[in-house]
Amino acid sequence: MKIIKAQFKFPGGVHPPDKKSISNAAPLKILPVPSILKVPLVQHLGAPAKAVVKAGDKVKRGDLLAVAGGFISAPVHAPTSGTVKGFETLYAAVGRKVEHCVIEPDGLDERSNLIQPLPDWETREVKELIDRVAETGITGMGGAGFPTAVKINPPPGKTVHTLIINGAECEPYLTADHRMMLDRTEDIWTGIRILRKILGVKTVYVCIEENKPDAIEKFSQIECDDDVALVPLETYYPHGSEKQQIYVTLGKAVPSGGLPADIGCVVENVGTALAIKEAVVDGWPLDSRCVTVTGEIVKKPGNFFARCGTGYDVLFEAAGGFIENPAKVISGGPMMGFAVASTDVAITKTTSGLLVQSQKQTNRFTSLPCISCGRCNEVCPMRLLASDMSCAIEADDVDAAINLHVSDCFECGCCSYVCPSHRPLVQHFRRAKGVAALRKMLQSKEIAEKEAKAKAEAERKCAIAQAESKAEIESAKIDAAVADDEISKAWGEDAPKSPNVGAGGGQDFAGKKDGKGAGAQEIKK
């Protein structure tokens, strides 16, 4: 694979200590199936999956636990064979309660035949490959969890010409992607080839940060055509964001409120490429992922392949426990992760790592007023006015923040990282984005209700018009029948029926004596 240099640099950004040496030397380790699995039905962006099993059901690995709950959703599969014990509403890493399917493994880890391997994927139709990605529940493995089948199937009118594979892993401490690139290189490359076929693109860029020279070396040895290039990126945060990665690679900016497909690009994580290979070639749904367990107080930091639904405590035990009692546990990395209130949480398709911090590393502080230093504005990679948005949100003026494009914030944390007043900037923006999303949802609901009401009214008027028309026809028939009856009484059995009156230029009402009105003369006599 040829190597090219990134020609552009995005605005803003920061350079925190990467701390990757703590765990990047630990090879991938497959974790045994734990004694209990609590599988969340929300492991993706979009509508929750809908359960199709009940307590007492026997399942095999790969069986459906829940189907996609909408267009933007993904199914959830059993991570092992066993018995469904029931459903529990438990906290997820982001702090909200979601429904979990509790499975007691039987120790057999028996595989379902629901999904069959497609070793001849190169001869299959694109639609069949997209359907396979959808039915296996693959979502973005970089953290957002957007359903991949939707992402790789752009709507009509949007032409994709470039595929970018994200191997930057710019978040400090995390090394799961790094180890996958080292230990599963060929599988990732197969996944890239499948993506290339699905999207119908020639141009592919594989982006890896320069702090992973061994991964760069391994990918540079892959034999491929000249339309595929390896792009080493400067070690700089947030190079792993898809919009920033597109800019440094192509020099193109995604429009405000837009998607990469708007400028002809699709960005997929190396973990997603690996999951696609396993789904298509091997017939495995996405029921496990690689998780980094790291931190200065973790005894044996490492990178573990664990089944979705595995508890955090199981992973900590696999990492040897802690040197001292932890003060904070973060799901993800220090820049974009979520601090969890309890370790009684299960990993999902989007759990990239678990970071454990000591009391010394966790300093409590009080948020202070903005001093208008402008540092947050300087480091924002989206060129947003973070200080103005934060002050507006703090004053409950969410409309002002929306007008300043707060929805373009992807919560990278650069602003909070440099703020001398320790202001909760990301939390402010997350709140405003939530309000904006809620308003949009309510507006869509209102529009849908108005359209449904208008449709119902139109159908009502149509039904009334049809009923009136039918009534008029029936009335005309009755009038005609009455006329026939009256004519029969007046003329006897030889009287003509009313439908023939006046037809064909005249009829003989008197029994057709001469065909020229003679009958009428006879009546007169």
Side-chain angles (χ1 to χ4, degrees), residues 416-431:
S416 297
Y417 183 75
V418 300
C419 179
S421 294
H422 305 296
R423 291 173 61 75
L425 300 174
V426 172
Q427 286 79 3
H428 283 170
F429 306 151
R430 189 177 293 140
R431 172 190 162 201

Side-chain angles (χ1 to χ4, degrees), residues 314-326:
V314 175
L315 284 155
F316 293 144
E317 184 180 350
F322 313 119
I323 298 172
E324 61 181 80
N325 290 331

Side-chain angles (χ1 to χ4, degrees), residues 97-218:
K97 286 188 173 183
V98 300
E99 193 173 26
H100 291 59
C101 178
V102 182
I103 297 177
E104 184 179 47
D106 57 14
L108 301 176
D109 204 25
E110 189 176 357
R111 176 175 179 167
S112 166
N113 59 5
L114 179 67
I115 302 170
Q116 295 298 317
L118 300 176
D120 58 342
W121 61 269
E122 292 177 281
T123 64
R124 301 283 180 153
E125 296 292 329
V126 169
K127 184 182 183 304
E128 186 176 3
L129 298 178
I130 294 175
D131 290 344
R132 170 55 58 92
V133 172
E135 70 177 337
T136 51
I138 296 176
T139 65
M141 305 285 278
F146 191 83
T148 302
V150 178
K151 193 172 184 179
I152 61 177
N153 190 20
K158 296 189 185 297
T159 303
V160 174
H161 52 70
T162 302
L163 170 63
I164 296 176
I165 300 299
N166 184 355
E169 197 173 38
C170 62
E171 182 81 33
Y173 284 95
L174 302 186
T175 57
D177 288 354
H178 185 184
R179 288 312 312 185
M180 281 191 287
M181 287 188 286
L182 291 177
D183 300 344
R184 303 289 298 275
T185 312
E186 289 300 324
D187 289 338
I188 292 173
W189 172 238
T190 300
I192 294 172
R193 291 167 53 213
I194 295 171
L195 281 166
R196 197 180 186 188
K197 175 180 173 64
I198 291 173
L199 295 169
V201 301
K202 288 185 176 181
T203 305
V204 179
Y205 295 108
V206 180
C207 298
I208 304 175
E209 278 197 335
E210 292 174 342
N211 60 356
K212 306 173 187 63
D214 45 0
I216 293 173
E217 174 63 24
K218 286 211 72 171

